Amino acid sequence: MTRKAPLAIAAAALALGGAALAAGAPAATAVEVPTHAINVCQSATMYENYNFSIPGPVTYIRTLGYGDKIGHTPGKHPVYNGWASIQDFGPNDWGFIREECIGGYNSW
Amino acid sequence: MNRVLRTTAAAGALLVVGLTVNAAQAQAADGQVGVRETVCADDLQFRTSPGGARAGTLHRGETFLVEQISGDWAYGFAYGTINHRGWVQDGWFC
């Protein structure tokens, strides 16, 4: 074994350890990208969840402006009492906005 | 001497990584049917079907009553800010 071999083995083991550590975080399950759309309201409030015990949206996230890029697949992503599950392609997170604020499908 | 030091340092780093991995793994476990489990992930997506559309997000400390396990997915009732039945990826409970 050469002099550098122990270090090479250690580096490889560290890399494996890092991969295992990454696996300890919530797994990113491959999910189909929703249909591209935009917010067509002047402003649309985005909430994190829809609470069925109220019922209504809860946990304010942000306010979207007209033209903000979002994703929503009609017939696939749920709509509860007019509140639609959408992906905000700005920060790439998920939430609920009013269904009537979704438009411009496949416009971008 | 340098060789010994570098090898020792690498071994030490490996030990630290190993401990961290074990700690992360020890915090998350599979759910059990009939048990109201506590979520151990920062963000656990709540879905309409296994691997399906996102319908909400559960956070660490919120609870989920497991009613069925199907492969890598758990079906049940999400408490907290959802209060509805759906699916989450199994393996992220305390």
Side-chain angles (χ1 to χ4, degrees):
Chain A
M1 185 179 288
T2 65
R3 180 181 175 183
K4 292 181 179 178
L7 282 177
I9 293 171
L14 270 174
L16 286 174
L21 180 60
T29 304
V31 175
E32 187 180 334
V33 176
T35 304
H36 285 185
I38 60 168
N39 166 41
V40 294
C41 290
Q42 199 61 34
S43 66
T45 308
M46 177 177 169
Y47 295 91
E48 181 180 57
N49 283 334
Y50 185 87
N51 191 333
F52 284 79
S53 69
I54 296 176
V58 292
T59 314
Y60 169 84
I61 295 180
R62 70 181 66 89
T63 301
L64 303 182
Y66 181 90
D68 282 354
K69 294 177 178 178
I70 60 175
H72 173 84
T73 305
K76 179 176 181 183
H77 290 103
V79 179
Y80 303 127
N81 197 26
W83 290 92
S85 179
I86 61 110
Q87 182 173 12
D88 181 355
F89 281 102
N92 265 340
D93 56 1
W94 289 80
F96 288 87
I97 67 170
R98 291 297 302 171
E99 183 180 24
E100 59 267 26
C101 290
I102 304 173
Y105 283 101
N106 298 311
S107 61
W108 62 280
Chain B
M1 180 63 178
N2 282 343
R3 178 183 173 187
V4 173
L5 284 176
R6 279 183 293 185
T7 306
T8 304
L14 269 177
L15 178 63
V16 170
V17 171
L19 289 174
T20 308
V21 169
N22 286 337
Q25 289 173 339
Q27 290 174 356
D30 288 341
Q32 296 181 56
V33 174
V35 176
R36 184 170 171 174
E37 303 279 6
T38 301
V39 172
C40 258
D42 290 338
D43 301 294
L44 183 61
Q45 295 302 316
F46 176 76
R47 301 185 183 281
T48 56
S49 61
R54 183 264 184 190
T57 304
L58 286 162
H59 297 289
R60 185 184 301 275
E62 291 190 315
T63 56
F64 184 88
L65 174 59
V66 178
E67 298 177 346
Q68 177 189 337
I69 299 289
S70 179
D72 292 334
W73 296 88
Y75 174 82
F77 189 88
Y79 290 88
T81 56
I82 297 177
N83 292 294
H84 194 59
R85 283 186 169 81
W87 294 84
V88 297
Q89 189 175 29
D90 195 16
W92 299 108
F93 302 115
C94 298

